[in-house]
């Protein structure tokens, strides 16, 4: 999937309480819809995420396949997280 992945937009910010919130919008070349993954971490170590359609809904089976792949593939997850992390303004 990595070679089919195109990152469209990414952003990350640090909140006043020290937590991090970010998102990466990406496309998979063979899929109808773009996806948005949002990230949250209290300290920048352990990350929670949520996957959504970025714009219009797509095909549910494709969505579920991407979600499962993110869950199982650390390299894919890290690529998406790093895209957001790299936009974090220097403190």
């Amino acid at each position: 999937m990595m070679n089919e992945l195109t990152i469209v937009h990414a952003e990350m910010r640090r909140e006043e309480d020290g937590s991090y919130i970010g998102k990466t919008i990406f496309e998979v070349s063979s899929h109808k819809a773009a996806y948005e993954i949002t990230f949250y971490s209290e300290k920048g170590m352990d990350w929670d995420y949520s996957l959504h359609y970025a714009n219009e809904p797509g095909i549910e089976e494709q969505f579920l396949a991407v979600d499962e792949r993110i869950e199982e593939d650390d390299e894919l997850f890290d690529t998406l997280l790093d895209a957001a992390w790299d936009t974090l303004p220097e403190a």
Side-chain angles (χ1 to χ4, degrees), residues 9-59:
H9 176 79
E11 62 186 61
M12 177 77 68
R13 70 179 186 273
R14 190 166 189 185
E15 300 294 294
E16 289 182 19
D17 66 0
S19 64
Y20 294 89
I21 298 175
K23 71 177 179 180
T24 300
I25 297 173
F26 64 100
E27 297 172 342
V28 177
S29 61
S30 59
H31 290 210
K32 175 184 172 187
Y35 303 97
E36 176 180 307
I37 185 170
T38 55
F39 300 101
Y40 174 79
S41 177
E42 284 187 22
K43 306 217 184 291
M45 302 295 283
D46 296 319
W47 292 91
D48 292 323
Y49 80 91
S50 181
L51 184 67
H52 320 279
Y53 290 113
N55 301 305
E56 297 295 317
I59 298 168

Side-chain angles (χ1 to χ4, degrees), residues 40-90:
Y40 174 79
S41 177
E42 284 187 22
K43 306 217 184 291
M45 302 295 283
D46 296 319
W47 292 91
D48 292 323
Y49 80 91
S50 181
L51 184 67
H52 320 279
Y53 290 113
N55 301 305
E56 297 295 317
I59 298 168
E60 184 177 3
E61 290 80 14
Q62 291 177 339
F63 178 90
L64 294 173
V66 169
D67 193 36
E68 182 177 343
R69 183 70 183 268
I70 290 169
E71 188 71 34
E72 295 175 356
D73 186 341
D74 290 341
E75 184 180 354
L76 175 59
F77 180 85
D78 289 345
T79 296
L80 296 169
L81 177 59
D82 288 348
W85 186 258
D86 289 347
T87 71
L88 186 67
E90 295 291 327

